[in-house]
Amino acid sequence: MARMDVVSKQTAQKIERLAEQVMRAVKGGKNPFVEIPVRSLANVRFDPRKRIVQLGGQRQKRYFFNVAMAKKFMQTFLVSDACKELVESGKTTSIRDLYYITKHTIGETRQNTFEEQDESDPIIEDLEVALDALREELHLFASRKGSMVGPITIRDSGDTIDLRRMGSGGWAVPSIVEENVIEFVRHEARYVLLIEKDAVWTRFNEDKFWKRERCVILQGGGQPPRGVRRLVQRLHAELKLPVYVLVDNDPWGFYIYSVMKQGSINLAYESMRMAVPDARFVGLSSFDKDKFRLPANVAIKMDDGDVSRAKQMLGYPWFKEARWQREIQEMVRSGVKFELEALSRRGISFITEEYLPRKLKEKDWLE
Amino acid sequence: MARPAARQLELVPAEPPGRKPARLEVARPPRAGAPAPAGAGAGGAAAPAAPERAAAAPAPHAPRRRATAEQMAQRQREISISEFFTKNRHLLGFDNPSKALLTTIKEAVDNSLDACEEAGILPEITVEVRDLAWEKSQGNDLTKGEGRFVVVVEDNGPGIVKAQVPKIFGKLLYGSKFHRLKQSRGQQGIGISAAAMYGQLTTGQPIRVVSRTGKARPAHLFEIQIDTRKNDPVVTRDDEQREWHQEHGTRVELEIVANWQQGQKFVNRYVEHTALANPHATVHYLRPKQERLTFPRATDELPKEALEIKPHPHGVELGALMLMAAESRSHDVKGFLGSAFSRVSPAVADEILKAAAFKGRVRPRDLAEDRHLAESLHRAIQATKIMAPPTNCLSPIGDALMKKGLVSFLQVIESEGPEAEEEGQLDLDSAGKKRKSAKERRAEAAAPEVPDAPPEEGVEKIKGHNYFIATVTRPPRVYRGNPFQVEVGLAYGGSWPADKPIELFRFANRVPLLFQRGACGVTEAVVKTDWRNYLLSQPRGSLPVGPMALLVHVASVWVPFTSESKEAVAHYPEIIREIQLAAQECGRKLATHIRKRQHADYQAQRRSIFELYIEEVAQALGKITGKSPAPIKREFLRVAEQVTEAELEEKEAAEKASGNPRRRDEDE
Ligand SMILES: Nc1ncnc2c1ncn2[C@@H]1O[C@H](COP(=O)(O)OP(=O)(O)OP(=O)(O)O)[C@@H](O)[C@H]1O
Ligand SMILES: [Mg+2]
């Protein structure tokens, strides 16, 4: 608990410093501004040594006395104020809540401080990078989805939970999984398996795959939310568990893997704490259709969007390696994609009993 | 004064008029393969088609003969002009009573303007529409739907000599403009007599004409009917009128079946736009149950006289070439080329002949008879480099006058708008509808006056509204041997609505084009221009959106229309390109203006924006730092006063540096 106070105090101080700096500028007759690292593709680069996507050095000044920026400047401080209050009172809330907290009508006008949540969400991200504070440190969380089971015991906000006894639904991964909320107590896991889809994860749980294989299985309902990614990263970094990713055989699946591995463009400033450059792609590979004798009628034809997306991936620096190139090229060449569920054609538990064990045994994965 | 009379000639029916499709089959007789155009006699128009088709039809088994040549001969007879007209009235613009109203007025007004221009007189034209049923029943409502109307058009032109009047108004295909190449509104010699025919067919009433050629001469009043069998005039009244208020001029009165309720929007638009494209003309417009409306002339300067030119060799079609050769009085082809065409010097003629490589002596007559000879000459002409045609045959409106025209046009429509709405019955044209409602206007008038910005070049204050006006006249160019010239003018701002597509006003030889906007090359050129470069929004493949009217004028000795009804300009790449270039040039002027205006608006706005947000920011900063917000607010306000112009410029410079991808259009 003491630690948490230190972090909160620091966060509150950061916000205060931001405000004081503005007030100093105004006192000195200057146009006050907030400096914000640019969060766009132009300011994102792949660091080949750390093997993650990172924010570049570009910063942008948000002035108050500038017609185009004044409103955002004002919004930045409304959000800052609200966050400072959250931090000081020790409460955490959703970003949707924050939108309602900060929304009100301005003066005698019909203008609102925020018209849509779409307006306040980017201001929050701006503030995170400007303060160099995590969203969690601002006491905010985004949507919550994702579940986890496995031979591990954790402590969540003081409650000790054995993830072997989570029934069919598993433990719901919260949005904030920092050490002050989630602690790892003990475990017997040998690795972490991140599964793209809820339905497939359910199969793994029902088949008690995690028990047999002694692993932690997680799912993030498609593109995993920050909480899930951060948790995977902590399991990898703190418990030294290798991470395997199991996704559909389509460009979107590859992209999910790529985000887990190097971070996303949108959240590039958090790659350091979210990405697992060593994450391994176990499937579904474009070559699995032959290896596992999948009938042609379970294939789905790729549309134009799929093809161009796949071709674009051929250019990603982290997919430059020959095996990855072959993998993606095979997808483009064959013009078809497969869902994980396609494996069920070979038997309902084929994926847990034959497919994955064989892939792991043969070390048939990509990195 | 009555100089044009010498050139008013009758057109032989074998060579029917230019614009109506009936001529399409006949005007180029050699196409079908018959080598002797001279032989295609009267009445030959429709007859040959039937037997030819029968012969050409494939016959799998011998078909039964249906009619003998003798039987068919009994049915072959001359087609009377009225029968032709009745069948084809839509081609001449008399499709229905509302369009017929417009066409009748248009034919008369176009003639008046042409005549005044040719004679060198500043036109003063009166257009009047009378609702006969309403006049009889005084006090009741105007005729709803179809009814009897009288159209009167009066001008102060040169007048028409007495002897010519009957033929001009009582004979189709009689005129002075068909045989020459020069920019004019009328071309065919069919316009006004077609209107007379329409009146006669729908009401039985003759056309009434009063004309006077000079102070010393009396005016004459005629009533003329058309003998529709013979296509000849029948004069039913011919009175001398000692007293007539005009020294010279012509007054035409036609009783027709029309639909004023629906047709008036076309007429309103036609009259407004005619005044706009003819700033040297004064137009009075009298409508039933409404105040007289006058468009005063904006200049006392007559348009530059358009001179007549000979056709350019590159524009001639094979059939026309053969016809010209047949009519030529030259002894050899060289002489024929030199005399019939412009820009053919003896050296050029030699070059053409060398390329044609005729064997033996060839006379113009031979060309008319031998299609192969004519074809090789035609090819040789196309292959020879020939100087562009002279352009003194064109008479553009000109930059300055276009501007004056726009200003006086706006002056009239600005004042006409609310008045018409209060009447409550005028179905305003679409331009009118888009103007603000009377209520909105009153609300605006009540709002406190914003002090005037210092006057900017190109900005005209019209009835309290600021309009930015820009015009561009392009140099003459040539398409298929025909000289043409494009002009573009725009009026931006004022009370045009900002959220609607712009108003596009199309003109060809100063005549407004009111129909078939979508099919017109002018529209295509405007749509293809990227107006986003000039700070207007523009949905893909559409006209730009913004408070603007755009005027496009194409002037040519031969405006290529997409159809005989002269409603849309054909899509010639040369013409489209010129329109685009002119639009871009105008657009750049517009963008400069909009930027200036944005700058001014911006300064006024920023104050209030800042004041609005300062309160919020001060509150938040106060809470974060635990200080009182009042002094923070004071300090912000103090800086707001100081934030200077310099900073604005800095911001603009930064914006430019960040490189917004404007300016993609190239000039020339
Ligand atoms: N108001 C007028 N004043 C003087 N001359 C006139 C007037 N109206 C007509 N004319 C003469 O009568 C002729 C015939 O007019 P008409 O409208 O029938 O044909 P057009 O104008 O030559 O061609 P178009 O068929 O294209 O209108 C004109 O060529 C002109 O010489
Ligand atoms: Mg005419």
Side-chain angles (χ1 to χ4, degrees):
Chain A
M1 279 293 132
R3 267 190 57 131
M4 191 178 113
D5 283 337
V6 174
V7 173
S8 292
K9 214 175 245 159
Q10 277 174 358
T11 310
Q13 274 169 5
K14 282 180 185 172
I15 295 174
E16 262 167 57
R17 274 203 294 276
L18 197 69
E20 277 159 4
Q21 174 210 323
V22 163
M23 283 158 61
R24 256 200 313 282
V26 176
K27 218 179 201 126
K30 294 212 190 68
N31 190 349
F33 62 84
V34 183
E35 212 172 17
I36 301 164
V38 176
R39 292 181 298 110
S40 71
L41 190 59
N43 192 30
V44 159
R45 54 188 176 75
F46 180 62
D47 181 335
R49 215 169 39 78
K50 295 193 198 141
R51 294 188 293 150
I52 53 177
V53 177
Q54 280 190 309
L55 267 194
Q58 282 178 46
R59 304 181 142 251
Q60 150 210 336
K61 287 181 179 172
R62 176 171 296 163
Y63 287 98
F64 178 70
F65 289 106
N66 176 312
V67 175
M69 304 183 195
K71 185 166 191 192
K72 282 194 173 161
F73 182 99
M74 177 226 18
Q75 291 171 334
T76 309
F77 281 95
L78 291 183
V79 171
S80 304
D81 175 29
C83 287
K84 188 171 177 249
E85 235 181 274
L86 284 172
V87 169
E88 284 173 344
S89 63
K91 287 187 182 143
T92 300
T93 193
S94 70
I95 54 177
R96 178 140 193 87
D97 243 357
L98 186 93
Y99 159 65
Y100 282 114
I101 293 172
T102 51
K103 176 173 184 157
H104 58 256
T105 308
I106 304 176
E108 313 264 277
T109 69
R110 270 196 265 154
Q111 249 194 70
N112 290 316
T113 49
F114 293 94
E115 297 300 341
E116 315 253 354
Q117 194 187 336
D118 285 358
E119 256 184 292
S120 69
D121 287 356
I123 296 285
I124 295 169
E125 286 172 6
D126 287 345
L127 196 63
E128 289 173 47
V129 287
L131 294 176
D132 193 20
L134 302 172
R135 177 169 296 186
E136 298 70 34
E137 293 169 0
L138 294 172
H139 285 225
L140 294 174
F141 58 82
S143 63
R144 167 197 314 230
K145 57 181 180 173
S147 32
M148 169 171 163
V149 285
I152 180 168
T153 302
I154 60 164
R155 195 167 300 132
D156 177 355
S157 311
D159 301 335
T160 305
I161 302 173
D162 182 354
L163 295 195
R164 272 167 285 233
R165 299 156 178 278
M166 298 308 303
S168 59
W171 172 65
V173 181
S175 296
I176 300 183
V177 294
E178 296 310 311
E179 292 125 83
N180 51 19
V181 181
I182 307 290
E183 281 171 71
F184 302 135
V185 180
R186 59 182 163 270
H187 78 97
E188 297 161 20
R190 297 187 300 134
Y191 60 89
V192 174
L193 177 63
L194 175 67
I195 300 166
E196 174 181 348
K197 286 171 154 169
D198 181 25
V200 179
W201 179 91
T202 306
R203 161 92 355 261
F204 276 76
N205 188 21
E206 201 175 290
D207 292 356
K208 292 283 178 283
F209 179 86
W210 51 268
K211 199 170 194 172
R212 187 160 19 101
E213 280 278 325
R214 281 205 287 131
C215 64
V216 169
I217 58 173
L218 287 110
Q219 62 83 14
Q223 174 76 271
R226 287 151 75 115
V228 171
R229 285 161 55 200
R230 172 68 175 146
L231 195 63
V232 170
Q233 201 261 4
R234 283 191 59 205
L235 288 165
H236 175 73
E238 293 168 30
L239 306 182
K240 306 281 176 273
L241 299 178
V243 172
Y244 298 92
V245 179
L246 183 60
V247 292
D248 282 346
N249 177 247
D250 60 18
W252 177 240
F254 287 8
Y255 185 71
I256 288 174
Y257 166 72
S258 139
V259 167
M260 191 63 245
K261 188 177 167 76
Q262 7 274 329
S264 74
I265 288 156
N266 199 19
L267 299 177
Y269 59 96
E270 297 218 299
S271 294
M272 280 294 274
R273 41 189 296 277
M274 303 258 232
V276 180
D278 291 326
R280 291 161 178 167
F281 168 84
V282 270
L284 215 47
S285 155
S286 308
F287 297 101
D288 287 345
K289 56 179 175 286
D290 297 330
K291 232 175 268 173
F292 294 89
R293 295 194 322 277
L294 292 179
N297 59 10
V298 298
I300 302 171
K301 237 176 90 66
M302 299 222 290
D303 60 25
D304 293 350
D306 288 331
V307 174
S308 69
R309 186 91 191 238
K311 284 188 175 153
Q312 201 182 327
M313 286 184 164
L314 285 169
Y316 286 1
W318 51 91
F319 284 148
K320 276 288 176 230
E321 204 224 311
R323 285 189 62 198
W324 265 114
Q325 293 284 313
R326 273 223 322 275
E327 176 70 35
I328 301 170
Q329 268 157 5
E330 169 62 16
M331 178 183 283
V332 174
R333 189 204 58 78
S334 65
V336 292
K337 55 186 188 178
F338 293 86
E339 291 190 283
L340 283 167
E341 287 92 329
L343 292 166
S344 304
R345 175 54 76 85
R346 304 276 326 268
I348 185 144
S349 290
F350 180 78
I351 191 167
T352 57
E353 286 165 8
E354 288 183 47
Y355 176 79
L356 201 60
R358 177 171 156 199
K359 294 267 312 195
L360 292 172
K361 203 173 91 217
E362 292 175 4
K363 293 196 182 342
D364 181 11
W365 60 68
L366 292 174
E367 283 183 90
Chain B
M1 271 300 178
R3 195 168 44 110
R7 276 180 269 137
Q8 282 155 353
L9 353 137
E10 185 170 351
L11 310 178
V12 256
E15 200 184 277
R19 77 168 173 245
K20 289 86 194 178
R23 106 192 125 109
L24 289 185
E25 307 294 333
V26 215
R28 304 169 192 126
R31 279 270 166 85
E52 223 172 64
R53 217 180 294 129
H61 51 86
R64 196 173 56 82
R65 276 293 282 267
R66 295 189 187 126
T68 63
E70 287 71 24
Q71 285 170 325
M72 286 164 68
Q74 288 177 353
R75 274 179 264 132
Q76 286 157 353
R77 63 184 173 87
E78 199 170 334
I79 296 150
S80 90
I81 208 91
S82 63
E83 285 171 315
F84 175 80
F85 178 87
T86 311
K87 269 204 168 154
N88 294 306
R89 52 164 80 181
H90 58 285
L91 303 171
L92 307 178
F94 296 91
D95 325 26
N96 54 56
S98 38
K99 212 167 154 189
L101 174 68
L102 170 72
T103 304
T104 302
I105 292 173
K106 181 169 136 55
E107 291 300 345
V109 172
D110 287 353
N111 281 351
S112 292
L113 288 168
D114 271 346
C116 288
E117 239 159 77
E118 190 165 345
I121 298 169
L122 280 171
E124 177 145 0
I125 294 173
T126 305
V127 178
E128 186 181 352
V129 177
R130 289 168 42 204
D131 181 340
L132 290 182
W134 176 70
E135 280 173 15
K136 271 200 207 94
S137 74
Q138 270 305 343
N140 287 349
D141 286 344
L142 290 175
T143 304
K144 297 219 166 62
E146 275 178 42
R148 289 225 176 170
F149 289 82
V150 169
V151 165
V152 184
V153 173
E154 185 176 309
D155 65 53
N156 61 341
I160 304 167
V161 295
K162 186 169 179 285
Q164 291 290 342
V165 173
K167 282 191 177 156
I168 283 175
F169 296 96
K171 188 173 177 67
L172 270 74
L173 303 178
Y174 191 91
S176 57
K177 305 167 201 166
F178 183 79
H179 292 93
R180 62 183 195 194
L181 215 45
K182 114 176 200 183
Q183 177 186 332
S184 63
R185 296 165 184 82
Q187 255 157 356
Q188 327 297 351
I190 197 166
I192 196 63
S193 36
M197 171 88 77
Y198 173 79
Q200 183 175 322
L201 289 177
T202 54
T203 69
Q205 295 297 321
I207 183 171
R208 280 161 62 98
V209 181
V210 180
S211 193
R212 185 175 182 183
T213 56
K215 206 173 176 178
R217 272 152 288 186
H220 275 272
L221 184 148
F222 286 92
E223 286 186 4
I224 303 158
Q225 294 213 303
I226 303 171
D227 176 342
T228 55
R229 294 215 150 271
K230 298 209 206 95
N231 184 25
D232 263 336
V234 178
V235 177
T236 53
R237 184 169 165 196
D238 176 355
D239 289 343
E240 228 179 71
Q241 288 209 324
R242 294 256 134 242
E243 294 296 307
W244 200 49
H245 62 280
Q246 300 263 33
E247 264 177 33
H248 50 80
T250 304
R251 174 187 173 93
V252 182
E253 261 185 65
L254 297 122
E255 187 172 335
I256 58 171
V257 165
N259 185 334
W260 170 246
Q261 211 183 2
Q262 279 174 21
Q264 64 174 322
K265 57 175 182 285
F266 304 136
V267 182
N268 290 348
R269 211 165 217 236
Y270 169 77
V271 173
E272 284 175 357
H273 291 191
T274 298
L276 166 60
N278 297 277
H280 62 290
T282 292
V283 182
H284 306 285
Y285 183 26
L286 284 80
R287 295 169 282 183
K289 228 180 159 182
Q290 264 174 283
E291 290 276 312
R292 163 199 192 102
L293 189 64
T294 294
F295 296 82
R297 74 170 53 88
T299 175
D300 286 339
E301 206 180 305
L302 268 171
K304 184 185 102 184
E305 191 178 357
L307 298 178
E308 193 175 333
I309 60 163
K310 289 181 210 160
H312 190 269
H314 280 168
V316 72
E317 286 174 358
L318 181 58
L321 180 66
M322 291 171 80
L323 276 177
M324 288 168 80
E327 282 170 5
S328 172
R329 285 198 213 108
S330 303
H331 298 292
D332 56 7
V333 177
K334 184 172 174 181
F336 159 58
L337 290 174
S339 61
F341 293 102
S342 65
R343 301 303 199 205
V344 181
S345 62
V348 169
D350 284 337
E351 213 180 306
I352 294 173
L353 286 173
K354 213 174 114 205
F358 290 135
K359 286 188 198 75
R361 206 176 107 88
V362 175
R363 290 160 307 169
R365 226 184 32 232
D366 304 326
L367 290 173
E369 280 158 17
D370 186 333
R371 186 180 171 77
H372 292 292
L373 280 179
E375 251 175 34
S376 44
L377 181 66
H378 190 248
R379 266 198 305 274
I381 288 174
Q382 298 305 327
T384 307
K385 241 185 120 153
I386 304 169
M387 200 178 161
T391 51
N392 50 10
C393 53
L394 297 174
S395 170
I397 306 171
D399 273 340
L401 286 187
M402 220 173 353
K403 199 166 184 171
K404 283 191 179 164
L406 277 167
V407 170
S408 59
F409 167 77
L410 292 167
Q411 225 133 27
V412 174
I413 65 161
E414 274 292 352
S415 49
E416 184 209 19
E419 175 189 316
E421 275 152 6
E422 258 129 48
E423 272 282 298
Q425 55 96 17
L426 181 67
D427 170 23
L428 280 173
D429 60 31
S430 58
K433 256 189 213 134
K434 289 179 51 174
R435 287 190 300 253
K436 293 191 177 131
S437 74
K439 206 171 115 206
E440 272 176 291
R441 277 159 185 260
R442 271 194 295 276
E444 243 169 46
E449 273 276 310
V450 183
D452 272 353
E456 182 196 332
E457 207 191 331
V459 172
E460 296 283 339
K461 191 158 186 158
I462 296 164
K463 306 260 151 107
H465 295 279
N466 281 325
Y467 285 92
F468 173 74
I469 295 179
T471 55
V472 165
T473 301
R474 297 281 308 166
R477 293 273 192 262
V478 177
Y479 81 92
R480 290 197 34 208
N482 297 311
F484 74 98
Q485 192 162 8
V486 167
E487 303 176 275
V488 166
L490 61 81
Y492 175 89
S495 54
W496 297 113
D499 55 350
K500 302 261 167 57
I502 62 158
E503 286 286 332
L504 175 60
F505 301 159
R506 300 171 289 133
F507 296 89
N509 286 357
R510 295 172 186 256
V511 178
L513 306 181
L514 301 183
F515 301 102
Q516 296 212 38
R517 193 182 78 178
C520 187
V522 171
T523 312
E524 186 199 322
V526 173
V527 165
K528 268 167 70 183
T529 304
D530 190 349
W531 290 93
R532 287 169 309 180
N533 289 336
Y534 314 120
L535 311 180
L536 294 182
S537 64
Q538 185 177 24
R540 188 171 286 277
S542 321
L543 289 176
V545 171
M548 185 168 99
L550 186 72
L551 171 166
V552 178
H553 179 214
V554 180
S556 178
V557 290
W558 182 255
V559 177
F561 289 104
T562 54
S563 74
E564 327 321 300
S565 49
K566 280 180 157 183
E567 287 166 350
V569 177
H571 300 238
Y572 277 93
E574 296 91 334
I575 296 180
I576 297 216
R577 185 172 156 71
E578 274 302 305
I579 297 173
Q580 279 189 287
L581 288 172
Q584 287 168 1
E585 218 176 292
C586 249
R588 280 193 289 274
K589 296 183 188 182
L590 174 67
T592 311
H593 164 72
I594 295 182
R595 275 202 201 94
K596 268 192 208 148
R597 218 193 53 179
Q598 279 175 346
H599 191 91
D601 286 357
Y602 175 87
Q603 277 184 307
Q605 264 179 28
R606 60 203 295 271
R607 260 296 160 68
S608 57
I609 287 178
F610 296 148
E611 277 164 22
L612 208 60
Y613 296 154
I614 281 175
E615 179 70 40
E616 295 287 336
V617 172
Q619 289 288 345
L621 290 173
K623 265 171 77 193
I624 294 172
T625 56
K627 297 200 173 105
S628 156
I632 304 177
K633 185 176 165 182
R634 272 202 300 280
E635 264 160 9
F636 265 89
L637 287 173
R638 192 168 51 83
V639 180
E641 300 272 309
Q642 291 166 11
V643 177
T644 56
E645 190 69 11
E647 205 171 285
L648 254 174
E649 278 158 18
E650 193 180 290
K651 180 208 154 221
E652 266 171 20
E655 261 175 17
K656 278 201 193 102
S658 76
N660 39 2
R662 254 164 216 158
R663 296 271 116 147
R664 254 168 300 118
D665 58 309
E666 44 28 314
D667 196 2
E668 300 282 43

